[in-house]
Amino acid sequence: MQAKIWNYSEWIAETNPEELRRKFDKTLKASGFNILCFTDHHFDPQGYTALWLLTESHFAVHTFPEFGKTYIELSSCNPDMYMAFIALTKNM
């Protein structure tokens, strides 16, 4: 049997680091993901990158404030949590 990883990526309009952390902490937990740890970095003069290490893989955000958008990416080995996350982010 071969392992399966589901990958989801999207561009969103939110670029505020505090709001991104709040929204995605909540969304990941509501989707059933288990957050092992979180790390982030603020770039000078602008920009932000964050990574949530999950039991079921990982989630990352990379802001591009000069363009008013953020790239999000989820990799998961759990299809149910993956689909729940996508459904919840469609409402953001």
Side-chain angles (χ1 to χ4, degrees):
M1 182 174 168
Q2 187 176 18
K4 178 82 171 156
I5 296 289
W6 287 264
N7 294 295
Y8 172 74
S9 61
E10 185 72 55
W11 288 96
I12 62 171
E14 181 63 62
T15 61
N16 179 289
E18 292 79 22
E19 188 65 15
L20 289 166
R21 170 115 192 237
R22 186 192 66 75
K23 281 183 179 182
F24 287 114
D25 273 343
K26 182 178 176 182
T27 303
L28 289 164
K29 289 174 185 172
S31 302
F33 287 105
N34 301 294
I35 300 170
L36 296 174
C37 68
F38 172 83
T39 189
D40 63 352
H41 180 78
H42 296 264
F43 293 95
D44 185 27
Q46 63 185 4
Y48 174 74
T49 293
L51 174 70
W52 285 257
L53 180 60
L54 310 170
T55 304
E56 305 80 12
S57 202
H58 65 276
F59 175 71
V61 301
H62 309 282
T63 69
F64 296 83
E66 65 275 25
F67 300 110
K69 59 186 178 179
T70 294
Y71 182 75
I72 65 170
E73 182 176 13
L74 172 69
S75 292
S76 173
C77 61
N78 185 303
D80 296 330
M81 293 176 190
Y82 172 83
M83 294 307 292
F85 178 87
I86 292 171
L88 289 169
T89 59
K90 294 298 179 189
N91 297 323
M92 290 185 158

